[in-house]
Amino acid sequence: MTLFGLSPLVLYQLVALLLLLFGVFGFIWRRSLVGMLISVELMLNGAGLSIVASGQLTEAPAELSQLSTLLVMGLAAAEATLVLAIILVVSKRFGSAESENVSELKG
Amino acid sequence: MTEELMAKAMFVLYAVVVLGGGLMAVFSRSLVRALVGLILTLFGVSGMYMLMAAPFMAMMQVLIYVGAVVVLIFFAIMLTKAKTAGEEGGARSKVGILLAVLGMLAPVGIMTYLCLQMPYAFAPGVQPTEVEIKALGEMLINEYVLAFELISVVLFVAMAGAILLGFERRRGQ
């Protein structure tokens, strides 16, 4: 399957890069902590897509890439759990879940 | 030939779903709509796993991301009583927009350039083959048993830490 003359591997890598693009942009653009969490999930998902594409569409062992992506998914779930707890504490303590309000040092 | 055409059409469809979902996830004023965009993106990527002959990964993607992570984020939105429109609204400074665009383009531009420079970029590529779930399981209990155990420890620690943080909040009141 080639599209515009590009190999499928590069096509999938470009989609993964698109996800990274949205993730990085959203992480800087968003003001609320929940929005930043959503952007991080986009980035992690792009990483998973890139790893699986590298395993499935090259000579590299495909099992290894799928296991790596499963690990990435597990880490994403653990990270989301912790960030949920942190967001809850922050919103209780500061009254909002916006990144700009969460600062106690003045300067 | 028709299969080839179908594969291309499905790839373009999934790419459009990923693009639309990503745009929605980043630019929506309402966080719930951003979450819907994230779900769209996750389903698009799951379809791409299917196209790459990795149906197990597609299933895990839907189970773990859509089933667990998205529900967690939804809890975060509801429990913090995030304003549906106010938080992300309002004008942003020009410097902020410039920094966001620069920070986005710097890594992605370099990696896209490198990706297109590779010798395999315009080659037809390898035909993907489906991996048996049994092979995955055997690898997990043989060579990669340490990684498998460590990820469960990480998940347990994350869960315990989340509960601890929740309790500390209640004790302070």
Side-chain angles (χ1 to χ4, degrees):
Chain A
M1 185 194 86
T2 54
L3 208 66
F4 313 119
L6 289 167
S7 74
L9 176 62
V10 171
L11 286 174
Y12 285 113
Q13 301 287 14
L14 288 181
V15 174
L17 280 173
L18 184 77
L19 283 172
L20 176 71
L21 188 108
F22 282 137
V24 174
F25 183 77
F27 193 74
I28 307 173
W29 178 261
R30 283 285 184 193
R31 283 176 177 163
S32 60
L33 293 175
V34 180
M36 291 164 83
L37 174 62
I38 290 177
S39 306
V40 170
E41 295 301 332
L42 280 179
M43 279 192 266
L44 281 170
N45 212 25
L49 181 65
S50 171
I51 296 172
V52 171
S54 329
Q56 291 289 115
L57 301 170
T58 59
E59 305 292 342
E63 298 92 343
L64 205 55
S65 71
Q66 301 203 4
L67 285 185
S68 317
T69 305
L70 277 180
L71 285 187
V72 170
M73 285 180 185
L75 285 178
E79 169 255 334
T81 317
L82 268 184
V83 172
L84 165 68
I86 292 171
I87 288 176
L88 280 184
V89 172
V90 163
S91 73
K92 266 286 182 221
R93 202 167 288 178
F94 291 90
S96 82
E98 283 183 62
S99 57
E100 282 168 15
N101 297 346
V102 187
S103 63
E104 287 186 326
L105 292 176
K106 302 290 176 199
Chain B
M1 198 57 214
T2 43
E3 280 178 15
E4 177 97 14
L5 197 68
M6 274 296 284
K8 279 181 192 171
M10 292 314 280
F11 179 81
V12 171
L13 175 72
Y14 293 141
V16 168
V17 168
V18 167
L19 181 76
L23 283 176
M24 212 168 145
V26 172
F27 288 111
S28 283
R29 288 282 164 88
S30 144
L31 282 175
V32 179
R33 283 207 187 122
L35 195 62
V36 173
L38 179 68
I39 295 174
L40 263 180
T41 311
L42 295 176
F43 270 112
V45 173
S46 162
M48 288 198 167
Y49 286 149
M50 286 285 213
L51 269 184
M52 272 188 278
F56 180 63
M57 294 315 296
M59 198 186 75
M60 287 330 252
Q61 166 96 356
V62 173
L63 269 182
I64 298 178
Y65 270 108
V66 183
V69 173
V70 164
V71 173
L72 273 179
I73 299 176
F74 193 65
F75 265 100
I77 295 175
M78 290 294 124
L79 288 176
T80 54
K81 301 189 194 72
K83 284 158 265 168
T84 44
E87 241 166 44
E88 297 293 339
R92 285 175 165 78
S93 66
K94 289 217 172 79
V95 182
I97 297 172
L98 185 72
L99 284 181
V101 171
L102 278 183
M104 159 186 88
L105 284 183
V108 175
I110 292 171
M111 278 196 265
T112 308
Y113 176 74
L114 287 179
C115 209
L116 293 177
Q117 287 296 309
M118 288 291 164
Y120 53 72
F122 296 96
V126 181
Q127 197 67 28
T129 50
E130 191 178 331
V131 176
E132 281 182 62
I133 302 178
K134 198 179 164 209
L136 288 178
E138 277 173 358
M139 276 182 100
L140 269 185
I141 56 168
N142 289 319
E143 298 108 297
Y144 298 100
V145 67
L146 184 65
F148 182 60
E149 294 297 331
L150 280 181
I151 195 78
S152 45
V153 171
V154 167
L155 277 169
F156 172 70
V157 169
M159 193 180 71
I163 292 174
L164 189 75
L165 282 173
F167 270 134
E168 201 173 23
R169 178 172 56 89
R170 201 169 291 169
R171 205 194 303 144
Q173 281 176 342

